[in-house]
Amino acid sequence: MRLAGATRQAPTWGVVGGLFSEGAGREKTSQKWMTKPHRSSEASREFRFGFRVWSLASLVVAGCTGAIDVPSHGRGPGDGPGGTGGPLVCRPAAPPTPLRRLTANEYRATIEDLFGEVDDVTRGFMRDERVGPFRSNVSAPVAELAVERYLEAAEGVAAAVAPRLSELLSCDPEDAEGCERALLDRLGRRVYRRPLEPEERARYEAMLLEHRSGGFVHAARIVVQTMLQSPHFLYHVEGVEPSDEGGVARLDAFAIAERLAYFLWRSSPDDALLDAAERGALLTDSGLREQARRLLESPRASETIATFHEEWLGLLDLDRVAFEILDPSIDAELRAAIVDEPRRFIRHVFENDDGRFPTLLTAPYTVGPAALATFYGAAEAPGEGFVALDPDARAGLLTQASVLAVHRSPVLRGKLVREEFFCQHVLPPPPGVDTTPPEPDPNESMRDQWIRHSNDPACKGCHVLMDPIGFGFLHFDTVGRYRDHYGAFPVDASGELRGTTDADGAFEGVPELAGRLASSAQVHRCIAEKWLKFALGRALGRAGESSDPCFVEEVHAKFAASDYDVRLLLEAVATHPYFVHVLVESP
Amino acid sequence: MTSRPIDRRAFLKTLGVSTALLPFVPSLEAHGDGGRYPRRLITFVTPNGMMDSEWNPIRGASESDFSLKRILQPLAPYKSRMLVLRGLDWKSYEAQPEVPNDHPPPLSHTLCATNVLENRWGGGPSIDQFIAQRLGAGTPFESLCLGANSFNADTGNYSYRAAREPTAVDSDPVRVFERVFGDLNLDDDARLRRRAERKSSIDLVRSELSVLERRVGVNDRRKIEAHLEHLHAIEMRMNRDIAHCEPPNPDAHGDENFKVRVFRRQADNIALAFACDLTRVVHLQYEVASSGMVYAELAPDLGDAGRHPHHAYAHFMADGVDRDTQTEMNTRIAVFEAELFRYLLDRLDSIQEGDGTLLDHSIVMWTSEHKMHNGCHCRDDLPYVLVGSGGGALRMGRLLEYGGVPHNDLYVSLCHAMGLDDVAKFGNPQVCRGPLSGLT
């Protein structure tokens, strides 16, 4: 087994050779399905939840009264745990995750892991659905056009890869039968993320037979283009172990492997993980932990953590930010540096710094080229791209230009903090309101203009929950440049947090705000909640209706115990029984 | 992988057609029904609202006596074949007061005319999809959903097959061309070979889906069903010969700027897809709501006022640009959209069918998701223009004032005009009252 920690495997078969390592025994391959549990002794009894009844923080800000309440709209049922803080019902398993289709990113990464780099493979794919800020195709049925795009992509990949299949499978091209076997055993296992079931294998054997006269390359091409259209490739299909434990079943080993890999690497399980699944290692706590750690030690996990933060902070919308309009002096090079900055910074925090959540918010440095350093008024970056920032002006992710350019007004910046850090939902403006922001007036301070804008009693109740936070960002213009003055007025960046459980009070500027967020338990719990959404790819259920809030609390507790080490948070999620058990219909 | 581009010029050459002179050659013979030509529908949506002051025609003495203001002026040649409808409100939106008044949340009201659901999902089929499904025309494509500089935005969709089931907007005209006409590029052997291979794949995938369908939970079953339906549709059209149809020239309009080029190529695709009877219903959307599209080329005389995105003008929030200039930009963008629309009409009208043209046998509707009035997102008196009478089903050349009726009612009328006479309600049944009066 190849251990992680090494650099990401070069995604070409030729280089890796043993990408399709020989699997262990085939005994444990029978797939059971979550809705058809079978009674058996393989029940999951060994864990007991240590759930306590948590008094949940009030999670929703609503009503334009400044009060805290449940939203009447604006989010789907179960869009966040909590609600009114009803009694927690803690069952040791989650509702089954709806059948999800690969996102475009997952598709691309999976193809690359299987076949090496393929240009433009997802060109013309639909935009992915989102669960909150996170991409996940969890709800809508596939569109017809998407099915055609899958067909075209599969044909393109198959045509490109077929001529070198025997090399990639390390089989003798003269030995067609040997190559066919390798194709179904090894490629089949990688594409289906489990060994083919006998009837699946039989269908492919018939297909190979039908097209054998055209030679192995020809027949294999058709097999590959078919496999890549299989629902077992395109969807996350999760099987469960047989269970007689009152409606609770463990995911089968391959489903666990799939969850682990797409959670921690945003791609399909590698051979080592599939081997562990076949050995049954993922069905033991220690085996699961070992694999989770292996994945987490890989730089690919840092990339996933960066992806999480990009999605969480709304940076998928960066491509809609017209920097050239906001600030014509930003050229293509600087723009690229701004767009790349969060990922480079996060990579640095996880590869070279302590990998803790507070560091992401408070680090007095960033990573980028000289152009970015200049933009921030910092000392020219030495070769490594490390840029030391003025700790009184800037701190971590919240003062990065990308974040500030996506969330440009004090209102939107306050909303970002309120919703994404405190998991409190602010109601959208009521119908008929003119949400046009005030026209900038150099004869009045920015703060006064915004205060006047939302001074209407109908607006004030909600805005008081956003704007005073957003005022703390007033040193930053719409592209994140630092300013001391707005027109003739010195910037007043005093802000205030209210309506939180443990972070209320005045603050001065973003660095102080960031410090407050970094040490708030409410924020930490919120981060745990966001990660669970990201990991499960679905909205979370509310207290009283779902055990999801219990999971949030347990993961939050482990996050705290780890001193807010993000990798340990991920490990806590990935190895928690809740992550690998689902509720099933009673037999 | 770059998908192998079709060598279109070579292909057209083999047809013996000069690309420069390529005419639109309809090959459609009369379809059944005693020589009647099929009726077609296009729903065309442009985003960010319509500048009411320059859109609203000036009324004369009678409903057929009206004069066009700036935005509709490009459609002047079609004035006698056009209906301008005033006083159609989004009653379905008003009936759902908890939905906020931004672009994205209620976007699906535009064509679905019913409650928007969680995550902004449309609450039912949109009128284009409803009609396409009910027509069951058996054309290779039940409908085409196309975009020009548009896409399935996170901010919401217009076209839905059913509640929570958005269609996918195909915004690359060259890929649309390949998808709709591409099979023609292959010689017979290659085409048959490809069909056989695809059939082989589809058969196997279908077997797996069928097994899966029995195993998944009830909530996921619809996903598998939809996937199976799509495979079926793909297979059906794969097996259909359209050899007597000549495709448009996908390289046309190469000298135009990308906004015009992409739109016109899509319009060409639509016209020929209709002429070849490859589909009868098209949804076409230009741009996206809340978009960052910039129209500096429309503002050479306005200094740098033109550098702001469309959406900024729609809210009168373009920094440093006075209100009148922003009104002017909103108007110019709408005029530009009307000119695009005009090209689509011209294309449809250039293809003869019997005594009339393709346009005569179609209904082409243009709307937007709000009326723009002092920067508010007004959901009353939405802009509606219809061109083409659907083979005489509608009485054209009029400005009709309805004074506040649900836009649902128009969609019932569209159903009737398309031959679906039994449709009594569309969208939210609480607000829909039945067909609009006075259209026929």
Side-chain angles (χ1 to χ4, degrees):
Chain A
M1 178 197 310
R2 196 182 164 117
L3 278 178
T7 51
R8 180 174 172 175
Q9 294 181 345
T12 39
W13 289 9
V15 177
V16 189
L19 187 66
F20 295 124
S21 62
E22 288 297 329
R26 292 266 180 275
E27 314 79 52
K28 295 181 68 73
T29 61
S30 77
Q31 290 276 306
K32 301 292 194 264
W33 300 82
M34 36 180 46
T35 51
K36 302 249 176 181
H38 294 253
R39 303 184 72 89
S40 129
S41 59
E42 280 278 299
S44 42
R45 298 192 192 87
E46 70 273 26
F47 66 86
R48 288 285 180 269
F49 266 174
F51 281 143
R52 289 156 277 169
V53 174
W54 298 83
S55 71
L56 282 186
S58 303
L59 289 167
V60 179
V61 178
C64 295
T65 60
I68 309 286
D69 198 2
V70 185
S72 62
H73 63 275
R75 43 195 237 163
D79 198 29
T84 51
L88 289 186
V89 179
C90 294
R91 301 193 63 193
T97 298
L99 188 66
R100 288 170 300 145
R101 220 162 14 91
L102 299 191
T103 63
N105 273 2
E106 288 175 336
Y107 187 102
R108 190 184 311 107
T110 302
I111 291 289
E112 284 182 8
D113 282 347
L114 292 170
F115 303 111
E117 195 125 345
V118 183
D119 289 343
D120 259 1
V121 68
T122 55
R123 189 173 72 101
F125 276 28
M126 303 306 103
R127 290 213 164 191
D128 295 311
E129 280 177 47
R130 296 201 189 162
V131 170
F134 305 115
R135 289 175 283 204
S136 178
N137 293 318
V138 68
S139 172
V142 66
E144 182 179 325
L145 181 61
V147 175
E148 282 191 82
R149 295 286 194 254
Y150 289 144
L151 182 153
E152 290 165 11
E155 289 180 350
V157 172
V161 78
R164 51 192 180 95
L165 263 181
S166 57
E167 182 194 337
L168 299 174
L169 293 165
S170 315
C171 65
D172 176 3
E174 302 299 311
D175 173 17
E177 275 186 37
C179 280
E180 288 180 1
R181 218 169 25 246
L183 182 70
L184 301 188
D185 285 347
R186 295 160 73 187
L187 183 64
R189 189 178 82 142
R190 289 297 300 269
V191 174
Y192 280 56
R193 308 186 274 268
R194 57 170 171 73
L196 300 179
E197 290 180 36
E199 59 270 34
E200 292 167 340
R201 197 184 164 88
R203 287 190 201 105
Y204 281 115
E205 282 168 350
M207 177 177 271
L208 284 165
L209 194 62
E210 185 188 340
H211 296 281
R212 187 174 276 164
S213 59
F216 172 71
V217 169
H218 170 75
R221 176 172 59 76
I222 295 169
V223 165
V224 171
Q225 76 188 31
T226 306
M227 283 182 171
L228 297 183
Q229 295 177 69
S230 165
H232 300 283
F233 173 72
L234 295 173
Y235 296 86
H236 297 296
V237 180
E238 297 181 327
V240 296
E241 292 279 298
S243 160
D244 60 359
E245 180 103 340
V248 172
R250 179 173 17 209
L251 294 175
D252 72 31
F254 295 102
I256 293 172
E258 176 155 356
R259 275 205 182 183
L260 272 186
Y262 281 96
F263 170 34
L264 299 175
W265 281 6
R266 300 272 113 177
S267 187
S268 58
D270 63 358
D271 276 311
L273 192 51
L274 291 170
D275 290 346
E278 290 209 26
R279 283 198 310 272
L282 294 180
L283 302 181
T284 66
D285 286 349
S286 61
L288 179 59
R289 186 169 308 276
E290 182 189 335
Q291 288 300 320
R293 286 189 175 156
R294 182 179 70 86
L295 300 191
L296 278 165
E297 282 163 14
S298 160
R300 297 190 71 169
S302 307
E303 297 301 326
T304 297
I305 293 169
T307 299
F308 166 88
H309 286 88
E310 285 180 347
E311 296 186 10
W312 174 50
L313 296 173
L315 303 185
L316 297 183
D317 289 337
L318 259 183
D319 59 359
R320 287 172 51 189
V321 173
F323 283 98
E324 69 283 2
I325 293 169
L326 295 171
D327 184 343
S329 73
I330 295 178
D331 61 14
E333 185 197 349
L334 178 55
R335 187 200 162 107
I338 288 171
V339 169
D340 292 344
E341 182 189 6
R343 185 165 287 271
R344 296 188 64 181
F345 168 74
I346 290 166
R347 212 183 273 148
H348 180 92
V349 169
F350 285 88
E351 302 296 321
N352 307 101
D353 204 332
D354 63 8
R356 292 171 64 247
F357 170 72
T359 305
L360 292 171
L361 292 189
T362 59
Y365 64 81
T366 191
V367 182
L372 190 70
T374 309
F375 181 73
Y376 285 155
E380 187 114 338
E384 292 300 301
F386 181 90
V387 181
L389 299 169
D390 174 0
D392 293 330
R394 294 190 186 263
L397 286 166
L398 279 176
T399 55
Q400 294 192 356
S402 51
V403 175
L404 296 164
V406 168
H407 309 278
R408 289 192 287 278
S409 73
V411 179
L412 294 178
R413 290 167 180 176
K415 183 166 180 274
L416 173 74
V417 170
R418 182 67 69 182
E419 296 197 331
E420 298 304 329
F421 287 79
F422 289 100
C423 288
Q424 295 170 319
H425 186 68
V426 181
L427 290 182
V433 165
D434 183 352
T435 54
T436 309
E439 218 161 308
D441 178 357
N443 299 314
E444 194 179 14
S445 80
M446 194 66 132
R447 173 186 296 262
D448 289 343
Q449 292 177 45
W450 280 98
I451 287 175
R452 196 159 39 73
H453 169 252
S454 53
N455 211 24
D456 185 314
C459 308
K460 210 172 176 177
C462 283
H463 277 272
V464 78
L465 299 166
M466 299 180 286
D467 303 8
I469 304 174
F471 291 149
F473 289 79
L474 278 175
H475 275 300
F476 300 100
D477 71 7
T478 52
V479 291
R481 254 185 229 282
Y482 191 87
R483 58 189 173 196
D484 279 321
H485 283 74
Y486 176 78
F489 301 90
V491 167
D492 170 6
S494 54
E496 189 188 356
L497 281 164
R498 60 178 82 172
T500 72
T501 58
D502 62 353
D504 280 4
F507 65 89
E508 181 72 33
V510 182
E512 191 182 348
L513 169 67
R516 193 85 61 80
L517 299 177
S519 59
S520 158
Q522 186 177 3
V523 171
H524 299 147
R525 182 187 292 107
C526 181
I527 299 305
E529 179 184 328
K530 300 288 177 187
W531 269 108
L532 291 186
K533 264 190 201 182
F534 182 81
L536 294 168
R538 61 169 172 82
L540 302 183
R542 294 167 192 240
E545 298 164 1
S546 160
S547 302
D548 288 346
C550 308
F551 191 22
V552 173
E553 292 307 330
E554 295 230 332
V555 169
H556 172 215
K558 290 189 177 169
F559 191 32
S562 77
D563 200 21
Y564 310 106
D565 181 314
V566 176
R567 277 205 197 86
L568 291 178
L569 165 68
L570 270 62
E571 185 183 314
V573 174
T575 58
H576 199 288
Y578 197 81
F579 190 63
V580 295
H581 286 79
V582 293
L583 299 173
V584 292
E585 294 163 9
S586 298
Chain B
M1 168 201 61
T2 38
S3 81
R4 192 179 58 86
I6 293 179
D7 184 350
R8 292 165 226 105
R9 290 187 189 283
F11 163 54
L12 291 163
K13 222 178 288 168
T14 63
L15 289 178
V17 182
S18 146
T19 53
L21 297 175
L22 182 74
F24 280 172
V25 187
S27 54
L28 187 69
E29 298 303 323
H31 289 261
D33 196 14
R36 277 196 59 178
Y37 289 90
R39 294 176 192 172
R40 292 88 164 194
L41 174 72
I42 300 175
T43 54
F44 175 51
V45 183
T46 56
N48 296 332
M50 199 65 75
M51 202 65 232
D52 191 54
S53 53
E54 294 292 344
W55 182 85
N56 196 2
I58 300 163
R59 295 183 67 181
S62 70
E63 60 185 25
S64 58
D65 178 13
F66 60 101
S67 45
L68 304 175
K69 293 173 82 172
R70 281 175 67 194
I71 292 174
L72 293 182
Q73 199 55 46
L75 308 183
Y78 294 97
K79 193 170 160 234
S80 65
R81 300 156 78 186
M82 170 165 108
L83 280 172
V84 183
L85 307 179
R86 299 297 318 274
L88 267 51
D89 299 351
W90 278 12
K91 301 291 189 199
S92 61
Y93 165 71
E94 292 166 21
Q96 195 186 5
E98 75 274 22
V99 179
N101 195 19
D102 277 326
H103 295 258
L107 212 57
S108 68
H109 277 278
T110 312
L111 298 179
C112 300
T114 193
N115 287 350
V116 55
L117 306 177
E118 77 284 353
N119 294 331
R120 302 167 181 168
W121 295 121
S126 53
I127 186 60
D128 55 309
Q129 294 302 300
F130 179 82
I131 287 176
Q133 288 158 18
R134 287 291 305 274
L135 282 179
T139 49
F141 295 87
E142 187 178 84
S143 69
L144 287 174
C145 295
L146 307 181
N149 306 314
S150 189
F151 45 85
N152 278 74
D154 314 312
T155 45
N157 295 289
Y158 296 109
S159 176
Y160 283 83
R161 290 185 85 211
R164 298 183 181 87
E165 208 170 314
T167 62
V169 172
D170 200 343
S171 292
D172 178 343
V174 173
R175 286 197 81 154
V176 173
F177 171 87
E178 290 174 2
R179 178 165 173 246
V180 178
F181 306 100
D183 212 29
L184 299 173
N185 191 38
L186 299 173
D187 64 37
D188 286 351
D189 279 354
R191 182 159 59 240
L192 291 176
R193 213 165 37 238
R194 189 168 81 170
R195 282 183 189 179
E197 289 175 8
R198 285 187 171 177
K199 183 170 169 20
S200 213
S201 293
I202 287 174
D203 284 347
L204 189 148
V205 172
R206 192 167 19 221
S207 308
E208 292 192 344
L209 283 164
S210 301
V211 173
L212 201 52
E213 188 180 12
R214 293 193 294 275
R215 291 175 166 179
V216 296
V218 63
N219 292 332
D220 289 328
R221 204 157 290 151
R222 175 63 205 143
K223 294 175 188 167
I224 304 294
E225 281 170 12
H227 202 133
L228 281 165
E229 287 165 18
H230 300 326
L231 283 177
H232 180 72
I234 291 165
E235 186 176 18
M236 285 299 102
R237 71 173 160 265
M238 192 173 77
N239 293 329
R240 176 178 290 242
D241 281 307
I242 51 168
H244 298 297
C245 174
E246 295 196 8
N249 174 4
D251 293 331
H253 316 297
D255 296 335
E256 304 287 348
N257 75 39
F258 76 95
K259 296 183 188 109
V260 174
R261 182 171 69 234
V262 169
F263 182 91
R264 289 192 177 181
R265 285 176 176 174
Q266 293 289 42
D268 292 352
N269 284 330
I270 292 167
L272 265 290
F274 276 173
C276 302
D277 204 26
L278 301 177
T279 192
R280 297 196 184 162
V281 176
V282 170
H283 166 70
L284 174 63
Q285 56 191 59
Y286 172 72
E287 239 213 66
V288 289
S290 312
S291 82
M293 184 79 82
V294 174
Y295 290 85
E297 71 277 12
L298 301 181
D301 55 329
L302 299 180
D304 64 353
R307 69 191 177 90
H308 297 276
H310 188 180
H311 184 237
Y313 304 123
H315 286 274
F316 296 96
M317 58 189 262
D319 287 354
V321 183
D322 65 60
R323 208 165 175 100
D324 286 350
T325 305
Q326 301 201 51
T327 301
E328 177 63 19
M329 278 307 294
N330 279 320
T331 304
R332 288 188 190 185
I333 292 168
V335 169
F336 174 76
E337 290 165 348
E339 286 165 353
L340 295 178
F341 187 56
R342 158 81 182 275
Y343 178 84
L344 173 64
L345 301 177
D346 287 349
R347 271 300 159 241
L348 297 171
D349 205 36
S350 70
I351 298 176
Q352 286 290 316
E353 275 188 340
D355 294 340
T357 69
L358 232 165
L359 179 62
D360 292 323
H361 305 136
S362 305
I363 296 173
V364 190
M365 179 185 90
W366 176 23
T367 188
S368 184
E369 81 275 1
H370 57 263
K371 172 176 81 170
M372 215 151 50
H373 190 68
N374 290 333
C376 107
H377 282 158
C378 301
R379 310 296 186 184
D380 61 331
D381 196 11
L382 287 134
Y384 277 99
V385 176
L386 307 182
V387 188
S389 65
L394 304 174
R395 209 148 48 80
M396 309 305 284
R398 298 180 297 153
L399 166 67
L400 299 176
E401 299 272 0
Y402 286 96
V405 303
H407 73 312
N408 303 59
D409 297 5
L410 168 62
Y411 297 161
V412 175
S413 293
L414 288 183
C415 291
H416 294 183
M418 292 295 291
L420 305 172
D421 297 327
D422 63 324
V423 175
K425 302 250 183 168
F426 180 80
N428 183 340
Q430 262 82 55
V431 302
C432 184
R433 307 171 315 170
L436 282 181
S437 59
L439 273 187
T440 54

